[in-house]
Amino acid sequence: MASLASLSPSGTVMSSFQSTVGGKLHVANCRAGVIGNAAGALPTNATGSAAPRRRNTPAGAGRGRIGGVVYARVSGGEQKTASSGTSTGTGGGASMKDMASQMKDMRAQMAEDKDLNTLMAGLRGTNIDASDFAADGVEMRVVDLGNLRASTDPTDVLPQNYDPELIAAYWRRRPAAVAQRIFQLLGIAGTFIGGISLDIYQKKVEENSVKRAIQLREIVTSLGPAYIKLGQALSIRPDILSPAAMTELQKLCDKVPSFDNKLAFDTLEAELGCKWQDIYTELGPEPVAAASLGQVYKGVLRSNGDIVAVKVQRPAVLETVSIDLFILRRVGIAMRGVPQIATDVVGLLDEWAMRFFEELDYVKEGQNATRFAASIKEDLPQVVVPGTYAEFTRRKVITSEWLDGEKLSQSTEADVGDLVNVGVICYLKQLLDTGFFHADPHPGNLIRTPDGRLAILDFGLMTEIDDNIKFGMIEAIAHLIHRDYDAIVEDFVTLEFIPEGTDLKPILPPLSRIFDQALEGGGAKNINFQALAADLAQITFDYPFRIPPYFALIIRAIGVLEGIALVGNPEFALVDEAYPYISKRLLTDDSPRLRESLRYMVYGKGQVFDADRLIDLMEAFEVFSKASKKSMGVMNAKALPAPAGGDEGAEGLVLSAAGAG
């Protein structure tokens, strides 16, 4: 447990306050008078000079004592100094309330820009079609296994894990199959390419953009799983696609063709090694949903009568995916000779393909679900993960618990807002605590159950986040609040946006302009988005900036939750929901890096104690405690008891050094 005495620059201990956190005694020591005193004297900072105080305890306010702490609940608005209501620990910090307000303003401003609005809609999943299947007439073309040359060599097989060299060796021995696939791809895409060429010639590109975008989505669907997954990844890239194309490709998440039931049942029986009737008393007969890699049937287990969901992988997925990756990789290697293309296409493709191959193993998906459920079971009982029946799960078949419910994004129940908050806490816990991150949270995978809980589905795509990244994110938040741009540039290295060894000095001026505009008072109306975009473009052009794969997945996950929340609450601000959890981590985690982050949050770069920052943290933690109890989860925190005679509608907690001995 952290101690503000150990976090204090001087280390002097004059008084103490205590609070109960997660069943532990959390003790923080600080200088006398720093937090405030009953006599109303002006608090002093860590250097002995006067420090600003924005809250005063009015006469008659509810007061109480817990384990030596004297605190008061203040009902009513904050009292600010004449200078400002923001922190002055470093002379330029922003309070969390200010940041939340600025983010809301910025979101409203961004909504007025067509391209930005489309990008945000894609991140939030609001453009996804609600259907569970593709439109009639759309067909997915995969490799014809009957035309593949058989081999008697037991080593002449495709690897189960992504290995570009082994994949290349396999398909080089089958040039006829590669040529057939290339002609198949060109045949499917030929009409689209011809149409685009005609639009350019006739100068009708803008006029026919929607028509071509719809064609593009249908073509990508027809090309098979690899291109569908690639299309989904491109659907949030405004630097590559037009807004119309992005909107259409975003529909790929839920809407793909189903495949023949006989093929599905043949695959199921081949994988399980018996007739399906030996395991299920009922199954199908039609799929309830289809995705790019497989389709789902509803069934009943013969052994115990449990209702289950049975997902069966598409035939020839491994062959189709691997041959397409082989072709795309050859194209990427050829592009290395084009001077105008600075991006390492092959490297990006390999990184993406590695994750894609992991999704092909349903045994791994079941193990992921079991591990994920165990990681949140104690803290988040209001989050449901369908159990996996391992004995009826194989590489191409997974049998899991059937969950009734409706998509959270489509629910009209009154508790949707609470469930979104639960979702935010759940994803923050994954991101900043467990490090085991559910990386495919599109709206179809977030369900409201009939008993009012949040169900999370589909654990094929997961990512691991190590401690260095987890702590680095919290450190970056603290540095951003204090506008410590020197430290933020270092954070970019820690978080893998910039390679180690890069000269960081030249990047500070444009980076400072970007953050100063974003955090400037007055909100988004004072932000020149064109200048911001120019600065960002220049940084990415001049320096080896890259978006780490884990971060792209995080942005998508948070974007989806925000999109669902905004439907019911246009004033929703992610900062308001995230900061209480971050405060919980800072106030309860004993790791040296988070103790240092807590010290920095309170003292800042100038090592000046900021009482307002500490009060912000304590208030946020109290908000977290109440919210987690309201949502049925204790989240390792026990709510502080209400002080005798206190106001139950109080806004926050004010700590006093008086009587703390």
Side-chain angles (χ1 to χ4, degrees):
M1 60 196 74
S3 165
L4 287 186
S6 62
L7 304 176
S8 165
S10 65
T12 305
V13 181
M14 297 287 290
S15 62
S16 68
F17 64 86
Q18 304 170 348
S19 63
T20 302
V21 177
K24 301 177 182 178
L25 185 63
H26 181 81
V27 182
N29 299 304
C30 61
R31 281 180 171 272
V34 168
I35 306 298
N37 58 58
L42 186 67
T44 57
N45 60 29
T47 62
S49 59
R53 181 178 64 195
R54 76 176 178 203
R55 295 175 179 83
N56 294 312
T57 306
R63 295 171 59 88
R65 179 189 296 268
I66 300 177
V69 175
V70 176
Y71 61 87
R73 292 179 178 270
V74 182
S75 56
E78 294 180 353
Q79 298 183 17
K80 299 183 179 181
T81 61
S83 57
S84 79
T86 61
S87 167
T88 56
T90 59
S95 73
M96 296 309 297
K97 289 184 179 180
D98 292 336
M99 291 183 69
S101 176
Q102 290 160 12
M103 288 179 69
K104 291 174 187 175
D105 288 345
M106 187 180 297
R107 184 171 63 210
Q109 185 86 355
M110 291 170 68
E112 297 175 5
D113 183 283
K114 182 180 179 181
D115 291 352
L116 285 174
N117 193 45
T118 299
L119 173 62
M120 295 310 298
L123 289 171
R124 294 167 183 158
T126 52
N127 287 330
I128 293 177
D129 195 293
S131 304
D132 290 314
F133 301 97
D136 293 338
V138 178
E139 180 184 0
M140 185 182 293
R141 304 287 292 276
V142 295
V143 169
D144 185 353
L145 295 179
N147 291 333
L148 284 182
R149 179 178 63 83
S151 175
T152 57
D153 183 356
T155 64
D156 186 22
V157 294
L158 284 168
Q160 301 293 311
N161 299 313
Y162 182 65
D163 186 322
E165 297 304 322
L166 291 179
I167 290 173
Y170 180 88
W171 289 112
R172 285 195 195 104
R173 291 191 289 268
R174 293 163 175 82
V178 174
Q180 181 187 41
R181 181 60 174 170
I182 291 173
F183 282 119
Q184 189 180 55
L185 297 175
L186 291 175
I188 294 171
T191 304
F192 175 75
I193 295 172
I196 287 288
S197 301
L198 186 62
D199 290 342
I200 294 172
Y201 177 75
Q202 296 179 342
K203 298 181 179 179
K204 293 184 177 180
V205 174
E206 185 67 26
E207 179 183 337
N208 292 334
S209 62
V210 175
K211 175 183 177 181
R212 299 304 177 203
I214 294 172
Q215 286 181 339
L216 177 63
R217 172 173 54 80
E218 293 175 348
I219 287 169
V220 170
T221 302
S222 299
L223 291 175
Y227 292 93
I228 289 175
K229 290 290 184 180
L230 187 58
Q232 291 171 355
L234 292 175
S235 70
I236 54 173
R237 292 295 299 272
D239 54 329
I240 298 176
L241 298 177
S242 69
M246 289 168 57
T247 299
E248 288 301 320
L249 289 183
Q250 285 157 15
K251 299 177 183 178
L252 288 168
C253 288
D254 270 359
K255 200 177 183 185
V256 297
S258 59
F259 59 94
D260 185 77
N261 288 324
K262 184 179 184 307
L263 291 175
F265 280 63
D266 287 347
T267 299
L268 187 149
E269 292 180 348
E271 288 289 301
L272 294 177
C274 61
K275 292 291 184 181
W276 69 262
Q277 293 90 342
D278 295 339
I279 297 175
Y280 313 98
T281 56
E282 299 177 27
L283 190 63
E286 297 296 327
V288 295
S292 57
L293 299 183
Q295 59 196 35
V296 179
Y297 295 86
K298 186 176 183 179
V300 178
L301 285 178
R302 181 173 295 280
S303 58
N304 55 18
D306 286 354
I307 301 175
V308 293
V310 182
K311 183 163 67 173
V312 184
Q313 195 170 108
R314 291 179 180 275
V317 165
L318 179 61
E319 291 76 11
T320 302
V321 167
S322 62
I323 196 173
D324 288 345
L325 288 172
F326 170 68
I327 294 169
L328 289 171
R329 205 169 187 276
R330 294 287 293 272
V331 173
I333 291 173
M335 291 171 65
R336 285 176 172 170
V338 181
Q340 292 84 356
I341 301 177
T343 304
D344 182 6
V345 176
V346 174
L348 291 175
L349 185 64
D350 286 344
E351 199 166 48
W352 171 73
M354 190 177 303
R355 294 180 181 277
F356 190 9
F357 261 63
E358 292 177 359
E359 290 191 73
L360 299 179
D361 186 354
Y362 288 173
V363 173
K364 180 67 173 177
E365 179 177 337
Q367 293 170 345
N368 288 342
T370 301
R371 176 184 169 187
F372 182 88
S375 72
I376 65 169
K377 180 179 179 181
E378 181 178 349
D379 290 343
L380 285 166
Q382 67 275 41
V383 176
V384 184
V385 175
T388 300
Y389 295 83
E391 64 271 34
F392 306 127
T393 294
R394 303 291 185 272
R395 184 174 177 84
K396 297 181 181 179
V397 174
I398 181 170
T399 303
S400 55
E401 177 186 3
W402 178 272
L403 291 178
D404 288 312
E406 58 182 340
K407 292 179 182 179
L408 187 62
S409 59
Q410 298 174 2
S411 177
T412 58
E413 296 292 336
D415 59 2
V416 168
D418 289 338
L419 290 179
V420 168
N421 294 343
V422 169
V424 170
I425 291 176
C426 181
Y427 276 88
L428 287 171
K429 180 174 177 63
Q430 299 166 48
L431 179 62
L432 302 176
D433 187 359
T434 68
F436 192 52
F437 196 82
H438 180 265
D440 193 18
H442 66 76
N445 287 339
L446 300 173
I447 306 295
R448 182 195 178 277
T449 63
D451 62 351
R453 293 192 290 173
L454 175 65
I456 300 178
L457 312 178
D458 195 351
F459 293 84
L461 183 60
M462 306 292 292
T463 191
E464 300 268 3
I465 301 172
D466 63 31
D467 285 347
N468 189 48
I469 298 297
K470 288 187 290 186
F471 296 151
M473 289 183 184
I474 295 177
E475 290 166 348
I477 292 169
H479 296 148
L480 182 61
I481 289 173
H482 284 283
R483 299 196 186 191
D484 187 349
Y485 300 143
D486 292 301
I488 290 175
V489 174
E490 296 287 348
D491 293 331
F492 279 139
V493 177
T494 301
L495 298 176
E496 301 177 1
F497 284 84
I498 303 175
E500 290 188 18
T502 302
D503 182 9
L504 302 176
K505 292 180 181 178
I507 204 174
L508 271 174
L511 186 73
S512 298
R513 286 196 299 271
I514 289 170
F515 283 115
D516 276 337
Q517 278 198 301
L519 297 174
E520 186 176 345
K525 62 180 177 292
N526 289 334
I527 296 176
N528 184 330
F529 280 97
Q530 194 170 19
L532 262 180
D535 280 337
L536 284 170
Q538 191 65 37
I539 287 174
T540 56
F541 182 79
D542 291 341
Y543 303 97
F545 253 83
R546 63 186 288 270
I547 296 178
Y550 78 87
F551 193 78
L553 297 172
I554 290 166
I555 292 298
R556 179 63 187 273
I558 299 301
V560 166
L561 288 166
E562 182 185 49
I564 296 172
L566 289 172
V567 173
N569 177 18
E571 296 300 310
F572 177 85
L574 184 62
V575 169
D576 291 337
E577 308 304 326
Y579 190 58
Y581 184 83
I582 293 170
S583 73
K584 180 254 186 185
R585 288 303 311 277
L586 287 172
L587 291 169
T588 63
D589 198 298
D590 289 335
S591 66
R593 283 181 66 176
L594 288 192
R595 289 180 64 182
E596 174 59 25
S597 293
L598 174 59
R599 187 208 65 78
Y600 184 94
M601 185 76 83
V602 175
Y603 286 96
K605 185 177 181 180
Q607 297 189 340
V608 177
F609 189 97
D610 189 333
D612 289 344
R613 285 268 183 257
L614 180 60
I615 294 170
D616 273 345
L617 281 168
M618 297 299 291
E619 286 182 341
F621 178 70
E622 187 178 31
V623 169
F624 170 83
S625 302
K626 290 180 178 179
S628 58
K629 282 195 70 178
K630 181 179 179 182
S631 299
M632 300 189 303
V634 294
M635 290 297 294
N636 286 332
K638 295 182 179 179
L640 294 174
D647 182 357
E648 291 301 323
E651 283 190 359
L653 202 64
V654 177
L655 302 173
S656 170

